[in-house]
C-alpha cells in the first residue's frame, strides 16, 4: 500500500475552514472516503455531506485511519497530537509556516508510534484510481505506472501534467513538503515505490537545500532496481537566499543543485534540465 | 531571523547563562561613567566585526567616549551602526566553541563543541570537534553534557558550570524556537569562570507569532524585498532584467532555472502562492515593476490558483500601471481557456506550455 | 505528603491559576483591618473541615477577630489549628470538580472533572464524570481541555479560563511531583470568573529532595512513627502486642499476616531494609521497645542482610536495653549458622523456618 | 527468551558504587556476562575484572544488550535515558525511592522504543542456569520448571527458598518492584511465562495496593493454561498506611488483599495462606 488506497478513511481536522472545506470537496470528487470532519463546537452539522464532530476522539466512531490537518499554524501541533493520541496511522499536514521545532516534535512523536507524517507544507499524496489526501488538482492525473515524489507543490503538478500529456500515467504522487523538517524523505518514499507492484518508473523532483537528494542517490545505488529520473530546481538560486520554501536555501555550500545533480548522475539517474523534459527519460 | 549580540546576551542572562556585564547605547549621552576597561562593540549583523574595526577596547574615559562616538552612526561593510554594546573586559584563559542547530538529515537538534574556539568552526579539524544528536522526545539530559565535557577535557569545577550552560542553552534553543544558538567563544576566564563572550542566535521566522517582542529588520534584505515581505510575498531580487511572477516556490524556481539555461537573466523570484485574488496579482506587478525589468514573464500552473483570476489581474495591472514592457504569459490548468480569452482582450497571447514562453520572454528581453 | 490549603493556593497563584485573595495568620495580631466579608479557614490536613466547624464566615471586624481567636489553637478532630487562612468571600454561581492523579493500571496521569463539584467525587454518578488519560510523552495538549470543557458545558469565555487553569494545573502536577492535585470546588463566580476555591495537593514523598522548601509533618503519623521516619526506617504502629523486626517490606508484611492468622497481634511494622550494619539492628530494637511489646519477633531471610550481623545486633540490643520480653528469632540464608552460634551465647535459640517462629512468639506473647 | 539468557550481556551503570560493585561480583558468580561498567571519569580502570568506561556510548563497544542501573535516585532518569539512547533493550533499575513521575516517563519512553523496563525498587530477574540481573541471593535457586513473579524482594527469596526446599526448581524469577509505577505488570510476565517452554507452573507473589493482581486474574482466566499459584501479602495491613513499599497502600477501598484473593480464587488460582504453603499447591 503506497500511503493510501481504497480502504483509506480520512478525517479532516479544520474541515469548515477555507482550505479544509474546499479540498474536502475536491477529495470527495476524486473518490477519497472522507468519513468525518472536526471543528470544535459544530458537532451535528454537515459539510459536503460529511458529518462534523467536536474532536478526534469523536471522529474515531467513523473509523478513520488517516487525518488531514488544515488548521492555522499555531494549532497544528495540538491537532497532530490529538490525531496521534486518537490512533490514526497517517497524518497529512497541509498548513504552511509551521515552526520547525513543532514539526520536529510531531515527527518524532509520530514515528515512535508508527504513524506516518506527510508534510507540512506539501500537496499531499495522490493515487489515481484509489484515493488522494491533499490539494493536488484532480484533473492532471491518469492512472499509470510512474511514481512521483517531490519537495514542491505547483512544480509537481507541472511535471505530473507533462507525464500525463506524454502518454504515461501515475501510480502514486507524493509531495514531501517544502519545510526543513517534513515527515517523509526521498529514501522513505523510494522504499515504498520500489516495493509497489503498481510502480515501474520513479520520478524524484528535488530542490536546493538539505541533503535529501544526495541520500536518495546513495539509496538508489544500493537498493532500487526500478528506473529513476530526477529533476532539481534552484540551479540559478544565489546562496543564502530562501527561495520561497523555508527548506530551499543553500547554506555554506551545502544543498547546492550541482551537488544533487552530481549525486544522481553518479548512480545513473538522469536529471532533466526542464520540467517538460522529464517524460523523455522515462522510456 | 538573526538577533543582535546584545539581544542574544539578554536572553542568555535571563536563562542562566553567564555573560559579561554590559549595556547598550544609541547615543553618546547614554554612556555611563568610566569605571574599568571595557570593550566597545558595534551591534551589526555581520561576522568578523573585529577585523572590520567594529570592536574597540577603551582603557580610559576619553577612549570610551571617542570610540563610542566613532562607531555610532558609522558604516561597517555597508551596515550602519545604530547601537553599541559597552561591555566589561574579560581575562581570557581559554576559548571554546559551543552551538546547537538543526541537523536536517536526522531531523534532530545537534550539539557541536570544540576546545578550539574563537575561530570559525569550519576551520577546526574534525577530530577536535564533538557532535551529539539530541533525541527531541527524550530531550536534553545530562549524560550528553557529561560526554561533551569529557571530550573538552574540562576540570570537575568547570564541568559543572559547562553542564549548566549547555542545559540552559538547550532550553534557549527550544524555548526561543532557534535555528541556531552559538557561543563562540565560550570562555574560561583567568579567574576560573565559564562565560559566554559572544552570542549568535538565529530564530525560526515561522515561529515569530509566539515571540512578538522580537522584531528585527533583516540587513541582508533589499528595501524592495522588505516591502514585498511586509505585503506577504516570497520575493527575492536578482541581478537580471526579466521580471518573473509564478505560482508555487518550486515552479518559480524552475522558471528562473529555465530562463537561466536559455541565457535569460531573471530580475527576481516572486511566488504568488496559492491565491485566488485579483489584487494579489496586481500588487505582484507593482513590486516587479519597481525592479524595472526589461520584460515580464508570468508562469501559472492553475490549481487552487485559477488561470482566469490571474489573467484578470494581469489585464488590470497592464492598464493600471500602463506597462510598456513586453509581458509574456503562460497559463495551464484550471480555467485556462477563460484566462486565455481575458488576456486576448488585453492584446496578450498566452502560451499553454512553459518552454515556448521561456524562449519568447528571453528573446523579448534581449530586444527590449 | 499533603500540603495545607494555603500552600496549595500559593502554588496555584504562582502557576497562573486564579485563587481568592487571602493571607495566613498564626496569631491574632497578624490580622489585617477588616474591609469586606471574609472566610476564616483553619489550616488542618483533614477533609470536611466545614462540617466540623473549621470554617467560619466573618461579616464584620468583631466577627473576624472572634472567629480567628476561636479557631487558632483549638483542636478539630484531634488536630491543633496552628494557622488560619483569611480569604475574600466569593459569590458562587456554579461549582465544578477538577483533579489530576496517577492512574496506576495505565501508568499515566488521569484528569477527572465533573460539573457536580463541591461534593466528594465518589458520590457523583459515573455519567456525570469525565476522565481523560494523558500520554506522558505527548504531554498535556489543548485538545484534552477542549473535550473536557465541552463535556462540562462551559461557555466560550469560561472555556478559555478553564483551558488555561487545566494547562497550569497539569504543570503543577508534573512540576511539583504530585500524586494528586485537586480543585474542589472549582467555581464560576457570579461575576463570571473561574477560580479555585479550594486546593488539595499531595506530593510524592520520594521527590522531596527536589522540593526542599516544602516540609510538612504528616498529622496521621504517631510520634514514634515520626521518630522512626527521621531515623530512616519504614515503621508503622499497630495495635497489638508483638513487636516485629524483619527485612524487606514484603517479608515484614507476610510476617504480620502470618502472626494475625495465628491469632497473634502485631504491635508494629518495621522493615530493616537491605542492611549490613549492627547499629541499624540495635536502633530498630530501640524503636520497637518504645512501643512496649509483650514479645519480639525477628524474622530474617539473609541475602544482602547477613544473618550473623543481625544476630550480633540482637545480642547487643538485648544486653544494652536489658530486654526482659521474650525474643523469638528466625534466621535463614546467608551466614545463618554463624548467626545461630552468636545467638546461642545470648541464650536465644534461633529457628530456621518462619512458621515455627510465628507459633512460638504468639504463644510467648499470650503467656507474657 | 524470558528476559535474560546466555546471550544477555550486561553493563552496570554506577558499577563502582557500593551496590553496583557488590552485585556485579554476585552476578558474575551466578554466571552473568557483565561486559562493562559505567562510572564517569574512571575509564580504563577495572572492577571484578570488568572494564570501566565513562559513558553508555563507550560501553556499547562491549556490545551489551541490557543495563543495570545502580545510581542514586536523583540520577536514575538521566542514566535510564542514556541507556535508552545508547540502544540497550532491557533496563533494570535497582534503585529505591525514585520519584514516580520519573519512572512514569522512563517507562513510556522505554516502551515506545521497545525497551523492557524492570523495576525500580525490585530484585531483578534470575534464570538459574542462564543468567541473572539484579540482587537475588544466588544460593536459593535450583534450575527447574517453576516461574515466579513477585512485587517484593526478600519475600520472593523466602518463597523461592521454600520452593527449592520442597524439591522443585525455578525456570525464571522476576521481581516487578515495590513502587506504584514499575516497568512490568503481572500480565506482562504471564504472557512471557505462558510461552516459555521451560516453565510448567507459575507462582505470583502479590501484595496490597493497585489492581495488578486483579488484572492478572482476568488474564489467567482468558489466556493462561499453565498451573498458577498465588500468595498475597498485606492481609493484616490497615487502610491508608504505606507498608514499606510506596506501592503497598490501600486507598479508599482499592487494592485490598481480600479483593485480590477473591479475584484469584474466582479463576481457580489457589492462594496460599503462608509463604511456606506455596509449594503444597504446585503439585
Amino acid at each position: 500500500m503506497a500511503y493510501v488506497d481504497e480502504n483509506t478513511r480520512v478525517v479532516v481536522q479544520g474541515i469548515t475552514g477555507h482550505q479544509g472545506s474546499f479540498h474536502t470537496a475536491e477529495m470527495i470528487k476524486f473518490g477519497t472516503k472522507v468519513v468525518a470532519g472536526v471543528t470544535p463546537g459544530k458537532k451535528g452539522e454537515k459539510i459536503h455531506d460529511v458529518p462534523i464532530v467536536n474532536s478526534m476522539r469523536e471522529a474515531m466512531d467513523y473509523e478513520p485511519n488517516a487525518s488531514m490537518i488544515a488548521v492555522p499554524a499555531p494549532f497544528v501541533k495540538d491537532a497532530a497530537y490529538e490525531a496521534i493520541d486518537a490512533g490514526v496511522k497517517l497524518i497529512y499536514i497541509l498548513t504552511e509556516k509551521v515552526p520547525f521545532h513543532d514539526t520536529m516534535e510531531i515527527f518524532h512523536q509520530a514515528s515512535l508510534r508508527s504513524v506516518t507524517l506527510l508534510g507540512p507544507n506539501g500537496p499531499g499524496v495522490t493515487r489515481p484510481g484509489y484515493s488522494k489526501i491533499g490539494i493536488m488538482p484532480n484533473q492532471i492525473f491518469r492512472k499509470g505506472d510512474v511514481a512521483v515524489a517531490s519537495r514542491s507543490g505547483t512544480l509537481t503538478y507541472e511535471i505530473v501534467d507533462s507525464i500525463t500529456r506524454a502518454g504515461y500515467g501515475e501510480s502514486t504522487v507524493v509531495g514531501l513538503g517544502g519545510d526543513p523538517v517534513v515527515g517523509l524523505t526521498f529514501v522513505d518514499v523510494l522504499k515504498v515505490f520500489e516495493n509497489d507492484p503498481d510502480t515501474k518508473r520513479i520520478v524524484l523532483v528535488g530542490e536546493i537545500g538539505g541533503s535529501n537528494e544526495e541520500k536518495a542517490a546513495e539509496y538508489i545505488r544500493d537498493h532500487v532496481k526500478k528506473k529513476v529520473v530526477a529533476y532539481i530546481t534552484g540551479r540559478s538560486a544565489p546562496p543564502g537566499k530562501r527561495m520561497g520554501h523555508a527548506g530551499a536555501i543553500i547554506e555554506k555550500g551545502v544543498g547546492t543543485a550541482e551537488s544533487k545533480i552530481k549525486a544522481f548522475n553518479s548512480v545513473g539517474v538522469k536529471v532533466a534540465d526542464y520540467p517538460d523534459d522529464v517524460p523523455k527519460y522515462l522510456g | 531571523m538573526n538577533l543582535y549580540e546584545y539581544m542574544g546576551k539578554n536572553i542568555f542572562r535571563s536563562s542562566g547563562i553567564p555573560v559579561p556585564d554590559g549595556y547598550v547605547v544609541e547615543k553618546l549621552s547614554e554612556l555611563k561613567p568610566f569605571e574599568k576597561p571595557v570593550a566597545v562593540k558595534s551591534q551589526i549583523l555581520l561576522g568578523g566585526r573585529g577585523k572590520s574595526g567594529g570592536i574597540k577596547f577603551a582603557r580610559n574615559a576619553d577612549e570610551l567616549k571617542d570610540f563610542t562616538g566613532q562607531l555610532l552612526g558609522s558604516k561597517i561593510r555597508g551596515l550602519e551602526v545604530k547601537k553599541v554594546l559597552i561591555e566589561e573586559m574579560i581575562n581570557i584563559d581559554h576559548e571554546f566553541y559551543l552551538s546547537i542547530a538543526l541537523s536536517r538529515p536526522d531531523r534532530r537538534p545537534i550539539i557541536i563543541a570544540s576546545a578550539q574556539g574563537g575561530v570559525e568552526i569550519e576551520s577546526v579539524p574534525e577530530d577536535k570537534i564533538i557532535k551529539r544528536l539530541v533525541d527531541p522526545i527524550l530531550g536534553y539530559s545530562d549524560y550528553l553534557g557529561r560526554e561533551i565535557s569529557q571530550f573538552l577535557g574540562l576540570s570537575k569545577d568547570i564541568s559543572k558550570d559547562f553542564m549548566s550552560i549547555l542545559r540552559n542553552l538547550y532550553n534557549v534553543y527550544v524555548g526561543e524556537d532557534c535555528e541556531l544558538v552559538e557561543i563562540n567563544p565560550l570562555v574560561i576566564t583567568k579567574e576560573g569562570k565559564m562565560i559566554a563572550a559572544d552570542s549568535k542566535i538565529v530564530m525560526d521566522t515561522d515561529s515569530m507569532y509566539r515571540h512578538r517582542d522580537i522584531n528585527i529588520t533583516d540587513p541582508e534584505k533589499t528595501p524592495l524585498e522588505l516591502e514585498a515581505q511586509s505585503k506577504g510575498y516570497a520575493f527575492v531580487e536578482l541581478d537580471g532584467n526579466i521580471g518573473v511572477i509564478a505560482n508555487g516556490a518550486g515552479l518559480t524556481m524552475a522558471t528562473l532555472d529555465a530562463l537561466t539555461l536559455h541565457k535569460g537573466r531573471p530580475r527576481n523570484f516572486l511566488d504568488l502562492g496559492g491565491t485566488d485574488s485579483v489584487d494579489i496579482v496586481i500588487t505582484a506587478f507593482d513590486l516587479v515593476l519597481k525592479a524595472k525589468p526589461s520584460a515580464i514573464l508570468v508562469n501559472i500552473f492553475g490549481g487552487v490558483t485559477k488561470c482566469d483570476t490571474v489573467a484578470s489581474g494581469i489585464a488590470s495591472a497592464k492598464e493600471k500601471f500602463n506597462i510598456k514592457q513586453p509581458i509574456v504569459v503562460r497559463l495551464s490548468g484550471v480555467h485556462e481557456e477563460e484566462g486565455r480569452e481575458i488576456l486576448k482582450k488585453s492584446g496578450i497571447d498566452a502560451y499553454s506550455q512553459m518552454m515556448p514562453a521561456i524562449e519568447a520572454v528571453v528573446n523579448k528581453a534581449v530586444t527590449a
Side-chain angles (χ1 to χ4, degrees), chain A, chain B:
Chain A
M1 205 263 277
Y3 304 110
V4 290
D5 64 14
E6 65 276 22
N7 299 315
T8 300
R9 298 170 61 84
V10 182
V11 51
V12 177
Q13 294 178 259
I15 195 167
T16 54
H18 181 74
Q19 298 257 36
S21 162
F22 177 79
H23 293 295
T24 295
E26 291 292 304
M27 287 196 289
I28 292 170
K29 276 184 218 157
F30 196 77
T32 305
K33 290 172 182 142
V34 181
V35 297
V38 177
T39 296
K42 299 213 173 167
K43 186 179 179 171
E45 298 181 23
K46 285 196 167 199
I47 184 166
H48 310 304
D49 222 35
V50 174
I52 304 179
V53 293
N54 285 338
S55 66
M56 275 305 290
R57 176 185 283 256
E58 290 175 359
M60 295 316 279
D61 290 345
Y62 299 90
E63 299 180 4
N65 46 26
S67 174
M68 168 161 118
I69 294 178
V71 302
F75 310 111
V76 163
K77 187 170 149 184
D78 181 59
Y81 280 17
E82 184 176 8
I84 291 171
D85 201 8
V88 299
K89 288 296 162 194
L90 175 73
I91 295 175
Y92 160 62
I93 299 173
L94 149 57
T95 314
E96 292 177 29
K97 300 198 178 174
V98 178
F100 83 86
H101 278 271
D102 288 3
T103 307
M104 189 160 67
E105 291 183 29
I106 294 167
F107 167 75
H108 287 280
Q109 294 280 14
S111 77
L112 283 169
R113 292 164 179 82
S114 305
V115 175
T116 301
L117 174 68
L118 196 53
N121 189 22
V125 59
T126 304
R127 281 188 75 202
Y130 296 95
S131 187
K132 101 170 181 186
I133 301 181
I135 64 171
M136 296 187 211
N138 295 342
Q139 63 278 5
I140 58 173
F141 294 93
R142 176 199 297 154
K143 198 169 170 176
D145 63 13
V146 184
V148 181
S150 170
R151 285 172 61 188
S152 307
T154 320
L155 178 59
T156 315
Y157 319 153
E158 178 83 45
I159 288 175
V160 167
D161 191 53
S162 77
I163 292 170
T164 302
R165 278 189 289 107
Y168 295 96
E170 301 80 29
S171 54
T172 306
V173 180
V174 183
L176 308 185
D179 286 355
V181 178
V182 290
L184 293 178
T185 63
F186 282 130
V187 170
D188 296 327
V189 179
L190 281 167
K191 280 180 204 172
V192 171
F193 288 170
E194 180 69 7
N195 291 318
D196 173 29
D198 293 344
T199 295
K200 297 244 179 324
R201 316 146 220 267
I202 299 167
V203 173
L204 301 183
V205 183
E207 63 186 31
I208 51 165
S211 56
N212 206 335
E213 292 77 7
E214 287 84 344
K215 303 220 174 267
E218 270 179 52
Y219 187 82
I220 290 166
R221 182 190 61 209
D222 299 337
H223 301 102
V224 178
K225 297 210 165 53
K226 295 179 182 173
K227 177 168 203 115
V228 183
V229 175
Y231 174 79
I232 302 291
T233 182
R235 293 176 177 216
S236 59
K241 288 279 182 183
R242 191 166 284 194
M243 301 309 272
H245 284 164
I249 183 166
I250 299 168
E251 298 166 301
K252 294 196 180 156
V254 175
T256 63
E258 290 68 40
S259 149
K260 295 169 191 303
I261 293 169
K262 199 177 144 198
F264 279 132
N265 283 335
S266 76
V267 298
V269 171
K270 288 255 164 48
V271 181
D273 278 341
Y274 304 100
D276 282 4
D277 284 353
V278 167
K280 281 191 208 165
Y281 300 111
L282 286 175
Chain B
M1 176 177 283
N2 278 271
L3 301 196
Y4 291 98
E5 177 193 6
Y6 79 94
M7 298 172 88
K9 283 184 169 167
N10 284 344
I11 290 174
F12 283 177
R13 194 180 284 115
S14 63
S15 308
I17 299 171
V19 292
D21 284 341
Y23 64 100
V24 172
V25 299
E26 293 186 37
K27 36 185 190 250
L28 270 182
S29 59
E30 292 168 351
L31 276 180
K32 296 180 188 171
F34 180 88
E35 279 178 359
K36 51 185 175 182
V38 289
V40 183
K41 306 168 90 174
S42 30
Q43 298 297 291
I44 47 171
L45 296 170
L46 208 65
R49 277 174 306 173
K51 286 182 196 149
S52 310
I55 301 177
K56 296 179 185 289
F57 301 99
R59 284 156 303 175
N60 54 49
D62 288 344
E63 285 189 354
L64 173 59
K65 211 174 150 185
D66 287 355
F67 293 157
T68 308
Q70 285 166 26
L71 288 175
L72 278 173
S74 73
K75 286 209 169 185
I76 298 179
R77 281 153 52 204
L79 294 178
E80 191 188 342
V81 178
K82 292 178 181 164
K83 287 193 172 80
V84 160
L85 173 63
I86 313 293
E87 195 174 73
E88 64 166 333
M89 300 277 284
I90 45 176
N91 300 309
I92 295 174
D93 186 56
H94 193 89
E95 295 182 318
F96 297 88
Y97 174 92
L98 180 63
S99 73
I100 310 176
L102 167 68
S103 170
R104 280 178 63 165
D106 304 289
R107 289 176 277 201
R108 295 179 184 217
I110 187 166
I111 305 169
I112 301 178
S114 174
Q116 299 192 8
V119 295
E120 285 227 344
I121 191 68
E122 287 80 4
S123 69
V124 177
E126 273 297 315
D127 65 332
K128 302 291 181 196
I129 297 174
I130 184 169
K131 297 181 181 182
R132 284 291 178 268
L133 291 168
V134 183
D135 178 328
I137 306 305
L138 288 177
Y140 174 82
S141 194
D142 280 341
Y143 68 91
L144 291 162
R146 246 184 344 257
E147 287 182 49
I148 295 170
S149 168
Q150 277 157 7
F151 179 88
L152 298 178
L154 302 180
S155 70
K156 225 174 181 182
D157 280 356
I158 292 288
S159 182
K160 251 187 203 165
D161 292 354
F162 174 77
M163 301 268 288
S164 151
I165 288 171
L166 180 51
R167 200 181 309 119
N168 294 330
L169 193 68
Y170 190 82
N171 291 340
V172 169
Y173 173 75
V174 173
E176 303 291 325
D177 283 296
C178 298
E179 292 180 3
L180 169 71
V181 283
E182 183 182 81
I183 308 177
N184 188 23
L186 174 64
V187 160
I188 299 181
T189 64
K190 295 227 165 86
E191 296 78 26
K193 296 278 165 215
M194 199 163 231
I195 187 165
D198 199 356
S199 86
K200 182 169 186 189
I201 294 185
V202 185
M203 288 174 71
D204 175 12
T205 318
D206 290 339
S207 79
M208 298 319 289
Y209 70 85
R210 49 192 181 203
H211 306 282
R212 292 201 191 280
D213 49 323
I214 293 169
N215 194 2
I216 292 170
T217 302
D218 187 341
E220 297 189 355
K221 285 216 155 108
T222 65
L224 191 54
E225 285 174 347
L226 291 172
E227 182 187 342
Q229 184 182 33
S230 73
K231 289 175 173 164
Y233 293 81
F235 181 93
V236 178
E237 277 199 79
L238 302 165
D239 54 10
N241 61 344
I242 302 173
V244 175
I245 296 172
N247 66 324
L251 183 59
T252 312
M253 264 194 286
T255 307
L256 304 185
D257 291 350
L259 284 172
T260 308
L261 284 171
H262 277 74
K263 313 279 181 218
R265 293 185 303 114
R267 177 69 184 89
N268 71 284
F269 170 106
L270 188 155
D271 172 12
L272 273 184
T275 176
D276 200 22
S277 145
V278 171
D279 287 342
I280 287 179
V281 180
I282 296 173
T283 309
F285 268 92
D286 186 26
L287 289 166
V288 169
L289 287 167
K290 285 180 179 162
K292 303 194 194 312
S294 317
I296 298 172
L297 171 66
V298 183
N299 185 13
I300 299 299
F301 193 94
V304 179
T305 306
K306 310 285 184 304
C307 289
D308 52 347
T309 309
V310 176
S312 302
I314 296 170
S316 305
K318 194 180 176 200
E319 196 184 316
K320 179 174 179 188
F321 303 122
N322 189 22
I323 301 177
K324 298 290 181 217
Q325 294 100 323
I327 303 177
V328 174
V329 180
R330 178 271 180 130
L331 293 179
S332 180
V334 175
H335 297 177
E336 177 178 329
E337 285 315 313
E338 295 89 327
R340 209 176 299 283
E341 286 306 311
I342 293 167
L343 287 180
K344 209 165 261 171
K345 287 174 200 152
S346 296
I348 300 174
D349 269 331
Y351 294 88
S352 67
Q353 296 309 319
M354 182 171 150
M355 296 318 299
I358 296 281
E359 282 163 25
V361 80
V362 170
N363 287 334
K364 292 194 178 175
V366 170
T367 5

